[in-house]
Structure formats: structure tokens, C-alpha cells
Amino acid sequence: MNAALEADIRDYASGDVRYPKRYKVRPRVYFIVIKTEASTMEDFKEKRSSGAVSSKDSAKAPLLAMLNNKKEGWYEGTIDFKRVVLQPATGKFAYIDTHFVARCKASSGMDCYNRIVGYLRGRVDSRSQFPSAKGKAFTFKYLGKCK
């Protein structure tokens, strides 16, 4: 521990930053400082394991619940995936981030995802990487009923 490290930890403790801070001790060994309002370690562990859901997780929960809701109609699905493309200058293949939007008839958000990925699998290189339907790289929107 040196004076610079001590000053940095004191600044972290007195500031309003809430994320954990880590310091490298030696290769692959870190010292992590976590700011909390808990007075004891047991109190901290209890609050962490009690299922306290962050605001980001609670905002995502309704989308995950809607993924399997059966509702026939038109959906607009958006997927960001890694597509394999040949680089003409080098003759090598590279993964390119690709944004794809499609409107399709589906019975749920998961069905919309499966239809989009099924469509893309037949049209892009088989080494392309598709994200999970539950991740943030896939979103969908219900547009309305089919006629």
C-alpha cells in the first residue's frame, strides 16, 4: 500500500460512486473495494442474497415474460448478430456486427425470434453467430392482429 493508493481509496469512499473498484495486486490477483450501506458482513450477504433486483433487471423482466406469451399477429423483431464476411483485400473472413429488422407473422416473441434466425441461417455463412432471444441483442414489438 502506498500513498497514491490510499488517496484513491479515500476519494472512492468519500465520493458518490456506487460501482465496485478493483486494484491489481499482482498478475491475476485483484483487491476489490465495494461500497455498501451494510454495517456488517452478514448484513451485506443477507442483502445480496435476498433477491434484491436492480432497476435494470426489473425493467428487463417484463420483456422476458412477454417472450413466450401467445398472441397471434404481426411482430417486428430486431436482432444484432455477428455475420461472417469475406474481406476481398486480404482473402480472410471476418465477423461483422450486423443489424437486421424484420416484420413477420408469429404467435409469440419467441416464435418471431425463431422465424428470423431460421430465415438468416439459410442466407448467411454457417459460422455466423446469433445471440440468445433472452439477451439484449434481440428485441421485438407486437404490431397488431393478422387479418
Side-chain angles (χ1 to χ4, degrees):
M1 181 117 172
N2 57 25
L5 180 62
E6 181 183 351
D8 194 36
I9 291 173
R10 288 186 189 277
D11 288 343
Y12 173 74
S14 64
D16 58 351
V17 177
R18 301 296 298 175
Y19 59 87
K21 190 160 180 130
R22 71 180 191 169
Y23 299 95
K24 191 171 191 173
V25 176
R26 57 182 180 267
R28 297 190 307 267
V29 177
Y30 293 91
F31 175 71
I32 299 173
V33 179
I34 300 172
K35 190 185 289 190
T36 180
E37 295 172 0
S39 58
T40 64
M41 185 58 111
E42 289 78 26
D43 207 16
F44 174 73
K45 287 179 181 178
E46 185 179 304
K47 287 180 181 179
R48 293 282 298 174
S49 65
S50 67
V53 179
S54 70
S55 61
K56 283 195 281 185
D57 291 342
S58 63
K60 191 163 191 116
L63 289 177
L64 288 177
M66 290 175 45
L67 194 60
N68 290 317
N69 281 356
K70 298 288 183 192
K71 195 170 185 182
E72 288 282 336
W74 286 97
Y75 285 83
E76 180 177 85
T78 304
I79 190 167
D80 295 318
F81 69 102
K82 301 269 188 196
R83 184 175 57 160
V84 174
V85 177
L86 175 67
Q87 299 293 323
T90 62
K92 295 182 180 180
F93 291 92
Y95 286 99
I96 305 295
D97 289 328
T98 305
H99 182 78
F100 184 80
V101 179
R103 291 183 177 178
C104 61
K105 285 184 184 178
S107 59
S108 66
M110 191 65 184
D111 187 33
C112 174
Y113 171 81
N114 290 333
R115 287 175 186 258
I116 290 172
V117 170
Y119 174 83
L120 290 170
R121 283 199 195 276
R123 288 165 177 76
V124 297
D125 192 291
S126 62
R127 295 171 288 180
S128 296
Q129 299 172 353
F130 296 99
S132 167
K134 296 176 184 175
K136 57 185 173 185
F138 172 71
T139 57
F140 67 94
K141 179 170 45 172
Y142 180 72
L143 300 175
K145 290 192 170 217
C146 300
K147 288 186 179 182

PDB file of all heavy atoms in Angstrom, residues 32-67:
ATOM      1  N   ILE A  32     -10.545  -5.911  -4.334  1.00  0.00           N
ATOM      2  CA  ILE A  32     -11.794  -5.266  -4.731  1.00  0.00           C
ATOM      3  C   ILE A  32     -12.387  -4.511  -3.550  1.00  0.00           C
ATOM      4  O   ILE A  32     -12.495  -5.055  -2.450  1.00  0.00           O
ATOM      5  CB  ILE A  32     -12.807  -6.308  -5.252  1.00  0.00           C
ATOM      6  CG1 ILE A  32     -12.230  -7.007  -6.477  1.00  0.00           C
ATOM      7  CG2 ILE A  32     -14.136  -5.639  -5.586  1.00  0.00           C
ATOM      8  CD1 ILE A  32     -13.055  -8.149  -6.981  1.00  0.00           C
ATOM      9  N   VAL A  33     -12.782  -3.256  -3.800  1.00  0.00           N
ATOM     10  CA  VAL A  33     -13.415  -2.420  -2.791  1.00  0.00           C
ATOM     11  C   VAL A  33     -14.877  -2.238  -3.198  1.00  0.00           C
ATOM     12  O   VAL A  33     -15.168  -1.833  -4.328  1.00  0.00           O
ATOM     13  CB  VAL A  33     -12.723  -1.040  -2.696  1.00  0.00           C
ATOM     14  CG1 VAL A  33     -13.404  -0.171  -1.657  1.00  0.00           C
ATOM     15  CG2 VAL A  33     -11.259  -1.206  -2.377  1.00  0.00           C
ATOM     16  N   ILE A  34     -15.785  -2.571  -2.262  1.00  0.00           N
ATOM     17  CA  ILE A  34     -17.214  -2.457  -2.534  1.00  0.00           C
ATOM     18  C   ILE A  34     -17.820  -1.489  -1.526  1.00  0.00           C
ATOM     19  O   ILE A  34     -17.653  -1.663  -0.317  1.00  0.00           O
ATOM     20  CB  ILE A  34     -17.919  -3.831  -2.418  1.00  0.00           C
ATOM     21  CG1 ILE A  34     -17.321  -4.806  -3.417  1.00  0.00           C
ATOM     22  CG2 ILE A  34     -19.416  -3.681  -2.632  1.00  0.00           C
ATOM     23  CD1 ILE A  34     -17.800  -6.225  -3.253  1.00  0.00           C
ATOM     24  N   LYS A  35     -18.536  -0.500  -2.034  1.00  0.00           N
ATOM     25  CA  LYS A  35     -19.178   0.480  -1.160  1.00  0.00           C
ATOM     26  C   LYS A  35     -20.606  -0.010  -0.864  1.00  0.00           C
ATOM     27  O   LYS A  35     -21.350  -0.344  -1.782  1.00  0.00           O
ATOM     28  CB  LYS A  35     -19.232   1.840  -1.840  1.00  0.00           C
ATOM     29  CG  LYS A  35     -19.666   2.956  -0.910  1.00  0.00           C
ATOM     30  CD  LYS A  35     -19.827   4.259  -1.628  1.00  0.00           C
ATOM     31  CE  LYS A  35     -18.508   4.834  -2.031  1.00  0.00           C
ATOM     32  NZ  LYS A  35     -18.619   6.202  -2.518  1.00  0.00           N
ATOM     33  N   THR A  36     -20.967  -0.068   0.405  1.00  0.00           N
ATOM     34  CA  THR A  36     -22.289  -0.547   0.801  1.00  0.00           C
ATOM     35  C   THR A  36     -22.766   0.193   2.045  1.00  0.00           C
ATOM     36  O   THR A  36     -21.970   0.802   2.762  1.00  0.00           O
ATOM     37  CB  THR A  36     -22.257  -2.075   1.066  1.00  0.00           C
ATOM     38  OG1 THR A  36     -23.548  -2.510   1.452  1.00  0.00           O
ATOM     39  CG2 THR A  36     -21.262  -2.426   2.147  1.00  0.00           C
ATOM     40  N   GLU A  37     -24.052   0.098   2.293  1.00  0.00           N
ATOM     41  CA  GLU A  37     -24.626   0.710   3.490  1.00  0.00           C
ATOM     42  C   GLU A  37     -24.746  -0.292   4.627  1.00  0.00           C
ATOM     43  O   GLU A  37     -25.172   0.052   5.723  1.00  0.00           O
ATOM     44  CB  GLU A  37     -26.003   1.294   3.159  1.00  0.00           C
ATOM     45  CG  GLU A  37     -25.920   2.436   2.171  1.00  0.00           C
ATOM     46  CD  GLU A  37     -27.285   2.894   1.686  1.00  0.00           C
ATOM     47  OE1 GLU A  37     -28.311   2.321   2.112  1.00  0.00           O
ATOM     48  OE2 GLU A  37     -27.328   3.830   0.885  1.00  0.00           O
ATOM     49  N   ALA A  38     -24.391  -1.554   4.379  1.00  0.00           N
ATOM     50  CA  ALA A  38     -24.466  -2.592   5.410  1.00  0.00           C
ATOM     51  C   ALA A  38     -23.410  -2.337   6.476  1.00  0.00           C
ATOM     52  O   ALA A  38     -22.289  -1.937   6.176  1.00  0.00           O
ATOM     53  CB  ALA A  38     -24.261  -3.965   4.781  1.00  0.00           C
ATOM     54  N   SER A  39     -23.758  -2.593   7.737  1.00  0.00           N
ATOM     55  CA  SER A  39     -22.818  -2.346   8.828  1.00  0.00           C
ATOM     56  C   SER A  39     -21.932  -3.558   9.119  1.00  0.00           C
ATOM     57  O   SER A  39     -20.837  -3.399   9.647  1.00  0.00           O
ATOM     58  CB  SER A  39     -23.571  -1.936  10.091  1.00  0.00           C
ATOM     59  OG  SER A  39     -24.497  -2.954  10.433  1.00  0.00           O
ATOM     60  N   THR A  40     -22.386  -4.766   8.778  1.00  0.00           N
ATOM     61  CA  THR A  40     -21.585  -5.978   8.992  1.00  0.00           C
ATOM     62  C   THR A  40     -21.555  -6.813   7.723  1.00  0.00           C
ATOM     63  O   THR A  40     -22.372  -6.613   6.810  1.00  0.00           O
ATOM     64  CB  THR A  40     -22.173  -6.837  10.131  1.00  0.00           C
ATOM     65  OG1 THR A  40     -23.460  -7.295   9.728  1.00  0.00           O
ATOM     66  CG2 THR A  40     -22.276  -6.066  11.429  1.00  0.00           C
ATOM     67  N   MET A  41     -20.641  -7.769   7.677  1.00  0.00           N
ATOM     68  CA  MET A  41     -20.525  -8.653   6.520  1.00  0.00           C
ATOM     69  C   MET A  41     -21.776  -9.527   6.383  1.00  0.00           C
ATOM     70  O   MET A  41     -22.247  -9.775   5.274  1.00  0.00           O
ATOM     71  CB  MET A  41     -19.272  -9.526   6.643  1.00  0.00           C
ATOM     72  CG  MET A  41     -19.032 -10.374   5.429  1.00  0.00           C
ATOM     73  SD  MET A  41     -18.881  -9.390   3.938  1.00  0.00           S
ATOM     74  CE  MET A  41     -17.189  -9.615   3.581  1.00  0.00           C
ATOM     75  N   GLU A  42     -22.347  -9.976   7.498  1.00  0.00           N
ATOM     76  CA  GLU A  42     -23.567 -10.791   7.459  1.00  0.00           C
ATOM     77  C   GLU A  42     -24.724  -9.975   6.874  1.00  0.00           C
ATOM     78  O   GLU A  42     -25.529 -10.475   6.099  1.00  0.00           O
ATOM     79  CB  GLU A  42     -23.926 -11.307   8.862  1.00  0.00           C
ATOM     80  CG  GLU A  42     -22.993 -12.371   9.395  1.00  0.00           C
ATOM     81  CD  GLU A  42     -21.678 -11.796   9.911  1.00  0.00           C
ATOM     82  OE1 GLU A  42     -21.621 -10.613  10.318  1.00  0.00           O
ATOM     83  OE2 GLU A  42     -20.688 -12.557   9.891  1.00  0.00           O
ATOM     84  N   ASP A  43     -24.790  -8.723   7.267  1.00  0.00           N
ATOM     85  CA  ASP A  43     -25.813  -7.811   6.755  1.00  0.00           C
ATOM     86  C   ASP A  43     -25.665  -7.645   5.233  1.00  0.00           C
ATOM     87  O   ASP A  43     -26.637  -7.680   4.496  1.00  0.00           O
ATOM     88  CB  ASP A  43     -25.665  -6.460   7.463  1.00  0.00           C
ATOM     89  CG  ASP A  43     -26.970  -5.691   7.539  1.00  0.00           C
ATOM     90  OD1 ASP A  43     -28.031  -6.311   7.334  1.00  0.00           O
ATOM     91  OD2 ASP A  43     -26.908  -4.474   7.817  1.00  0.00           O
ATOM     92  N   PHE A  44     -24.424  -7.491   4.785  1.00  0.00           N
ATOM     93  CA  PHE A  44     -24.142  -7.344   3.362  1.00  0.00           C
ATOM     94  C   PHE A  44     -24.550  -8.601   2.585  1.00  0.00           C
ATOM     95  O   PHE A  44     -25.206  -8.532   1.549  1.00  0.00           O
ATOM     96  CB  PHE A  44     -22.646  -7.058   3.165  1.00  0.00           C
ATOM     97  CG  PHE A  44     -22.222  -7.040   1.731  1.00  0.00           C
ATOM     98  CD1 PHE A  44     -22.573  -5.986   0.907  1.00  0.00           C
ATOM     99  CD2 PHE A  44     -21.468  -8.073   1.196  1.00  0.00           C
ATOM    100  CE1 PHE A  44     -22.178  -5.957  -0.423  1.00  0.00           C
ATOM    101  CE2 PHE A  44     -21.073  -8.054  -0.119  1.00  0.00           C
ATOM    102  CZ  PHE A  44     -21.428  -6.999  -0.935  1.00  0.00           C
ATOM    103  N   LYS A  45     -24.179  -9.764   3.106  1.00  0.00           N
ATOM    104  CA  LYS A  45     -24.510 -11.030   2.440  1.00  0.00           C
ATOM    105  C   LYS A  45     -26.012 -11.250   2.392  1.00  0.00           C
ATOM    106  O   LYS A  45     -26.550 -11.747   1.412  1.00  0.00           O
ATOM    107  CB  LYS A  45     -23.833 -12.196   3.150  1.00  0.00           C
ATOM    108  CG  LYS A  45     -22.344 -12.257   2.919  1.00  0.00           C
ATOM    109  CD  LYS A  45     -21.731 -13.419   3.661  1.00  0.00           C
ATOM    110  CE  LYS A  45     -20.231 -13.484   3.452  1.00  0.00           C
ATOM    111  NZ  LYS A  45     -19.631 -14.591   4.211  1.00  0.00           N
ATOM    112  N   GLU A  46     -26.702 -10.866   3.458  1.00  0.00           N
ATOM    113  CA  GLU A  46     -28.152 -11.023   3.507  1.00  0.00           C
ATOM    114  C   GLU A  46     -28.842 -10.150   2.457  1.00  0.00           C
ATOM    115  O   GLU A  46     -29.752 -10.596   1.770  1.00  0.00           O
ATOM    116  CB  GLU A  46     -28.659 -10.656   4.905  1.00  0.00           C
ATOM    117  CG  GLU A  46     -30.139 -10.894   5.097  1.00  0.00           C
ATOM    118  CD  GLU A  46     -30.560 -10.528   6.504  1.00  0.00           C
ATOM    119  OE1 GLU A  46     -29.977 -11.078   7.456  1.00  0.00           O
ATOM    120  OE2 GLU A  46     -31.470  -9.685   6.630  1.00  0.00           O
ATOM    121  N   LYS A  47     -28.375  -8.929   2.314  1.00  0.00           N
ATOM    122  CA  LYS A  47     -28.962  -8.023   1.330  1.00  0.00           C
ATOM    123  C   LYS A  47     -28.682  -8.504  -0.087  1.00  0.00           C
ATOM    124  O   LYS A  47     -29.508  -8.373  -0.975  1.00  0.00           O
ATOM    125  CB  LYS A  47     -28.426  -6.597   1.511  1.00  0.00           C
ATOM    126  CG  LYS A  47     -28.995  -5.915   2.718  1.00  0.00           C
ATOM    127  CD  LYS A  47     -28.464  -4.519   2.868  1.00  0.00           C
ATOM    128  CE  LYS A  47     -29.033  -3.872   4.116  1.00  0.00           C
ATOM    129  NZ  LYS A  47     -28.531  -2.536   4.324  1.00  0.00           N
ATOM    130  N   ARG A  48     -27.495  -9.083  -0.333  1.00  0.00           N
ATOM    131  CA  ARG A  48     -27.131  -9.569  -1.668  1.00  0.00           C
ATOM    132  C   ARG A  48     -27.928 -10.821  -2.037  1.00  0.00           C
ATOM    133  O   ARG A  48     -28.286 -11.014  -3.182  1.00  0.00           O
ATOM    134  CB  ARG A  48     -25.635  -9.901  -1.741  1.00  0.00           C
ATOM    135  CG  ARG A  48     -24.724  -8.724  -1.614  1.00  0.00           C
ATOM    136  CD  ARG A  48     -24.625  -7.944  -2.850  1.00  0.00           C
ATOM    137  NE  ARG A  48     -24.060  -8.778  -3.898  1.00  0.00           N
ATOM    138  CZ  ARG A  48     -23.948  -8.411  -5.137  1.00  0.00           C
ATOM    139  NH1 ARG A  48     -24.315  -7.220  -5.483  1.00  0.00           N
ATOM    140  NH2 ARG A  48     -23.462  -9.217  -6.031  1.00  0.00           N
ATOM    141  N   SER A  49     -28.191 -11.695  -1.063  1.00  0.00           N
ATOM    142  CA  SER A  49     -28.860 -12.959  -1.370  1.00  0.00           C
ATOM    143  C   SER A  49     -30.378 -12.888  -1.224  1.00  0.00           C
ATOM    144  O   SER A  49     -31.067 -13.842  -1.540  1.00  0.00           O
ATOM    145  CB  SER A  49     -28.325 -14.063  -0.461  1.00  0.00           C
ATOM    146  OG  SER A  49     -28.657 -13.786   0.876  1.00  0.00           O
ATOM    147  N   SER A  50     -30.909 -11.773  -0.761  1.00  0.00           N
ATOM    148  CA  SER A  50     -32.352 -11.677  -0.536  1.00  0.00           C
ATOM    149  C   SER A  50     -33.136 -11.507  -1.821  1.00  0.00           C
ATOM    150  O   SER A  50     -34.351 -11.395  -1.804  1.00  0.00           O
ATOM    151  CB  SER A  50     -32.661 -10.522   0.420  1.00  0.00           C
ATOM    152  OG  SER A  50     -32.352  -9.296  -0.210  1.00  0.00           O
ATOM    153  N   GLY A  51     -32.440 -11.472  -2.954  1.00  0.00           N
ATOM    154  CA  GLY A  51     -33.141 -11.349  -4.237  1.00  0.00           C
ATOM    155  C   GLY A  51     -33.442  -9.914  -4.597  1.00  0.00           C
ATOM    156  O   GLY A  51     -34.394  -9.644  -5.315  1.00  0.00           O
ATOM    157  N   ALA A  52     -32.662  -9.002  -4.074  1.00  0.00           N
ATOM    158  CA  ALA A  52     -32.848  -7.603  -4.435  1.00  0.00           C
ATOM    159  C   ALA A  52     -32.550  -7.450  -5.916  1.00  0.00           C
ATOM    160  O   ALA A  52     -31.484  -7.772  -6.388  1.00  0.00           O
ATOM    161  CB  ALA A  52     -31.921  -6.716  -3.609  1.00  0.00           C
ATOM    162  N   VAL A  53     -33.536  -6.959  -6.671  1.00  0.00           N
ATOM    163  CA  VAL A  53     -33.411  -6.846  -8.120  1.00  0.00           C
ATOM    164  C   VAL A  53     -33.081  -5.405  -8.468  1.00  0.00           C
ATOM    165  O   VAL A  53     -33.727  -4.482  -7.985  1.00  0.00           O
ATOM    166  CB  VAL A  53     -34.728  -7.283  -8.799  1.00  0.00           C
ATOM    167  CG1 VAL A  53     -34.620  -7.148 -10.300  1.00  0.00           C
ATOM    168  CG2 VAL A  53     -35.083  -8.698  -8.410  1.00  0.00           C
ATOM    169  N   SER A  54     -32.075  -5.226  -9.303  1.00  0.00           N
ATOM    170  CA  SER A  54     -31.705  -3.869  -9.702  1.00  0.00           C
ATOM    171  C   SER A  54     -32.744  -3.309 -10.664  1.00  0.00           C
ATOM    172  O   SER A  54     -33.552  -4.039 -11.230  1.00  0.00           O
ATOM    173  CB  SER A  54     -30.319  -3.862 -10.347  1.00  0.00           C
ATOM    174  OG  SER A  54     -30.379  -4.490 -11.600  1.00  0.00           O
ATOM    175  N   SER A  55     -32.696  -2.016 -10.900  1.00  0.00           N
ATOM    176  CA  SER A  55     -33.678  -1.382 -11.781  1.00  0.00           C
ATOM    177  C   SER A  55     -33.534  -1.861 -13.212  1.00  0.00           C
ATOM    178  O   SER A  55     -34.511  -1.961 -13.936  1.00  0.00           O
ATOM    179  CB  SER A  55     -33.542   0.136 -11.710  1.00  0.00           C
ATOM    180  OG  SER A  55     -32.251   0.521 -12.137  1.00  0.00           O
ATOM    181  N   LYS A  56     -32.304  -2.187 -13.647  1.00  0.00           N
ATOM    182  CA  LYS A  56     -32.118  -2.704 -14.999  1.00  0.00           C
ATOM    183  C   LYS A  56     -32.765  -4.073 -15.133  1.00  0.00           C
ATOM    184  O   LYS A  56     -33.405  -4.362 -16.127  1.00  0.00           O
ATOM    185  CB  LYS A  56     -30.625  -2.811 -15.334  1.00  0.00           C
ATOM    186  CG  LYS A  56     -29.976  -1.504 -15.664  1.00  0.00           C
ATOM    187  CD  LYS A  56     -28.639  -1.706 -16.313  1.00  0.00           C
ATOM    188  CE  LYS A  56     -27.595  -2.027 -15.279  1.00  0.00           C
ATOM    189  NZ  LYS A  56     -26.242  -2.122 -15.806  1.00  0.00           N
ATOM    190  N   ASP A  57     -32.589  -4.952 -14.131  1.00  0.00           N
ATOM    191  CA  ASP A  57     -33.174  -6.292 -14.183  1.00  0.00           C
ATOM    192  C   ASP A  57     -34.692  -6.231 -14.134  1.00  0.00           C
ATOM    193  O   ASP A  57     -35.369  -6.979 -14.829  1.00  0.00           O
ATOM    194  CB  ASP A  57     -32.669  -7.150 -13.028  1.00  0.00           C
ATOM    195  CG  ASP A  57     -31.189  -7.487 -13.173  1.00  0.00           C
ATOM    196  OD1 ASP A  57     -30.673  -7.358 -14.305  1.00  0.00           O
ATOM    197  OD2 ASP A  57     -30.570  -7.868 -12.171  1.00  0.00           O
ATOM    198  N   SER A  58     -35.242  -5.344 -13.316  1.00  0.00           N
ATOM    199  CA  SER A  58     -36.699  -5.269 -13.211  1.00  0.00           C
ATOM    200  C   SER A  58     -37.316  -4.710 -14.487  1.00  0.00           C
ATOM    201  O   SER A  58     -38.436  -5.045 -14.836  1.00  0.00           O
ATOM    202  CB  SER A  58     -37.095  -4.416 -12.004  1.00  0.00           C
ATOM    203  OG  SER A  58     -36.632  -3.096 -12.170  1.00  0.00           O
ATOM    204  N   ALA A  59     -36.592  -3.854 -15.215  1.00  0.00           N
ATOM    205  CA  ALA A  59     -37.101  -3.343 -16.479  1.00  0.00           C
ATOM    206  C   ALA A  59     -37.064  -4.413 -17.549  1.00  0.00           C
ATOM    207  O   ALA A  59     -37.887  -4.437 -18.456  1.00  0.00           O
ATOM    208  CB  ALA A  59     -36.274  -2.140 -16.925  1.00  0.00           C
ATOM    209  N   LYS A  60     -36.127  -5.344 -17.450  1.00  0.00           N
ATOM    210  CA  LYS A  60     -35.987  -6.396 -18.447  1.00  0.00           C
ATOM    211  C   LYS A  60     -36.956  -7.546 -18.178  1.00  0.00           C
ATOM    212  O   LYS A  60     -37.330  -8.268 -19.096  1.00  0.00           O
ATOM    213  CB  LYS A  60     -34.555  -6.911 -18.451  1.00  0.00           C
ATOM    214  CG  LYS A  60     -34.250  -7.800 -19.599  1.00  0.00           C
ATOM    215  CD  LYS A  60     -32.771  -7.931 -19.772  1.00  0.00           C
ATOM    216  CE  LYS A  60     -32.520  -8.596 -21.088  1.00  0.00           C
ATOM    217  NZ  LYS A  60     -31.834  -7.800 -22.010  1.00  0.00           N
ATOM    218  N   ALA A  61     -37.374  -7.746 -16.941  1.00  0.00           N
ATOM    219  CA  ALA A  61     -38.240  -8.859 -16.576  1.00  0.00           C
ATOM    220  C   ALA A  61     -39.549  -8.895 -17.377  1.00  0.00           C
ATOM    221  O   ALA A  61     -39.931  -9.959 -17.852  1.00  0.00           O
ATOM    222  CB  ALA A  61     -38.507  -8.847 -15.080  1.00  0.00           C
ATOM    223  N   PRO A  62     -40.264  -7.786 -17.578  1.00  0.00           N
ATOM    224  CA  PRO A  62     -41.488  -7.859 -18.361  1.00  0.00           C
ATOM    225  C   PRO A  62     -41.235  -8.296 -19.805  1.00  0.00           C
ATOM    226  O   PRO A  62     -42.051  -9.018 -20.378  1.00  0.00           O
ATOM    227  CB  PRO A  62     -42.031  -6.431 -18.322  1.00  0.00           C
ATOM    228  CG  PRO A  62     -41.439  -5.816 -17.123  1.00  0.00           C
ATOM    229  CD  PRO A  62     -40.102  -6.475 -16.965  1.00  0.00           C
ATOM    230  N   LEU A  63     -40.111  -7.897 -20.396  1.00  0.00           N
ATOM    231  CA  LEU A  63     -39.811  -8.318 -21.761  1.00  0.00           C
ATOM    232  C   LEU A  63     -39.589  -9.814 -21.832  1.00  0.00           C
ATOM    233  O   LEU A  63     -40.054 -10.476 -22.764  1.00  0.00           O
ATOM    234  CB  LEU A  63     -38.579  -7.579 -22.292  1.00  0.00           C
ATOM    235  CG  LEU A  63     -38.777  -6.101 -22.583  1.00  0.00           C
ATOM    236  CD1 LEU A  63     -37.467  -5.474 -23.036  1.00  0.00           C
ATOM    237  CD2 LEU A  63     -39.826  -5.919 -23.659  1.00  0.00           C
ATOM    238  N   LEU A  64     -38.891 -10.374 -20.838  1.00  0.00           N
ATOM    239  CA  LEU A  64     -38.674 -11.812 -20.823  1.00  0.00           C
ATOM    240  C   LEU A  64     -39.985 -12.561 -20.614  1.00  0.00           C
ATOM    241  O   LEU A  64     -40.193 -13.618 -21.194  1.00  0.00           O
ATOM    242  CB  LEU A  64     -37.674 -12.198 -19.735  1.00  0.00           C
ATOM    243  CG  LEU A  64     -36.226 -11.816 -20.006  1.00  0.00           C
ATOM    244  CD1 LEU A  64     -35.350 -12.185 -18.825  1.00  0.00           C
ATOM    245  CD2 LEU A  64     -35.719 -12.488 -21.266  1.00  0.00           C
ATOM    246  N   ALA A  65     -40.861 -12.014 -19.790  1.00  0.00           N
ATOM    247  CA  ALA A  65     -42.155 -12.645 -19.566  1.00  0.00           C
ATOM    248  C   ALA A  65     -43.003 -12.608 -20.837  1.00  0.00           C
ATOM    249  O   ALA A  65     -43.735 -13.553 -21.133  1.00  0.00           O
ATOM    250  CB  ALA A  65     -42.884 -11.957 -18.427  1.00  0.00           C
ATOM    251  N   MET A  66     -42.887 -11.527 -21.601  1.00  0.00           N
ATOM    252  CA  MET A  66     -43.667 -11.393 -22.834  1.00  0.00           C
ATOM    253  C   MET A  66     -43.131 -12.270 -23.952  1.00  0.00           C
ATOM    254  O   MET A  66     -43.830 -12.523 -24.924  1.00  0.00           O
ATOM    255  CB  MET A  66     -43.670  -9.936 -23.291  1.00  0.00           C
ATOM    256  CG  MET A  66     -44.479  -9.021 -22.404  1.00  0.00           C
ATOM    257  SD  MET A  66     -44.352  -7.281 -22.865  1.00  0.00           S
ATOM    258  CE  MET A  66     -44.548  -7.312 -24.627  1.00  0.00           C
ATOM    259  N   LEU A  67     -41.904 -12.746 -23.837  1.00  0.00           N
ATOM    260  CA  LEU A  67     -41.272 -13.528 -24.896  1.00  0.00           C
ATOM    261  C   LEU A  67     -42.084 -14.768 -25.246  1.00  0.00           C
ATOM    262  O   LEU A  67     -42.209 -15.114 -26.414  1.00  0.00           O
ATOM    263  CB  LEU A  67     -39.860 -13.923 -24.462  1.00  0.00           C
ATOM    264  CG  LEU A  67     -38.924 -14.456 -25.515  1.00  0.00           C
ATOM    265  CD1 LEU A  67     -38.709 -13.423 -26.618  1.00  0.00           C
ATOM    266  CD2 LEU A  67     -37.590 -14.817 -24.903  1.00  0.00           C
TER     267      LEU A  67
END
